[in-house]
Every structure is written in structure tokens, then in C-alpha cells.
Amino acid sequence: MIDPKPKASQYLNQSVERMIEILRLYIGDVDELTATEISKHLSFSQSTVFRFLVTLEYYGFLQRNPENNKYRLGV
């Protein structure tokens, strides 16, 4: 018999999930993180992290601190 309600997980988008994982790093006491720190925390390649950070920054979810190149939550 075919399950009439497919599991929602089959519709999840991996890229969106990864961006959410990046944002979740900021829950708690973390104020700023470098791309390298994020890459190490999540075991994502640095090029993947960079693309996600640029996208999140573009849409205002993150801001890059020009003094230390660390990212923090946006406004």
C-alpha cells in the first residue's frame, strides 16, 4: 500500500537546511564567527560556507564585520 501522506522530509531543500544550520550557530552566547569557524563547526567545505554567507548577508540575515571579517546576525 502506498502511503497517502509522504514524509515532509522528502521535500526539504538541503541548501536551505544548511543555511538554517549556520543561523542556529548564533543561538546562545555566540556573537560573531568567521567563515572558517563556521566551516569547522558544521563540517561544510569553506567554499560552501562562503556562498551561504554571501547569500545570508545579501538578504540581511547576517552582517560581516569589516574590522575582523567575522559574521554576526543581521538587523
Side-chain angles (χ1 to χ4, degrees):
M1 184 169 155
I2 297 174
D3 185 0
K5 291 184 181 179
K7 301 211 183 298
S9 63
Q10 80 182 53
Y11 299 109
L12 298 178
N13 182 288
Q14 184 182 32
S15 294
V16 174
E17 287 182 295
R18 288 181 172 188
M19 284 194 261
I20 290 170
E21 287 183 55
I22 290 172
L23 293 173
R24 290 182 68 175
L25 290 174
Y26 292 92
I27 295 172
D29 296 334
V30 176
D31 290 327
E32 294 183 327
L33 293 165
T34 65
T36 301
E37 291 169 332
I38 292 169
S39 177
K40 287 180 182 176
H41 279 294
L42 299 175
S43 299
F44 296 165
S45 73
Q46 287 191 333
S47 62
T48 297
V49 168
F50 178 75
R51 287 193 315 271
F52 290 147
L53 292 176
V54 168
T55 302
L56 290 167
E57 182 181 19
Y58 179 83
Y59 285 101
F61 289 95
L62 293 178
Q63 292 179 330
R64 188 180 60 82
N65 182 340
E67 294 178 13
N68 60 13
N69 286 323
K70 291 186 176 189
Y71 289 84
R72 60 180 169 238
L73 288 178
V75 205

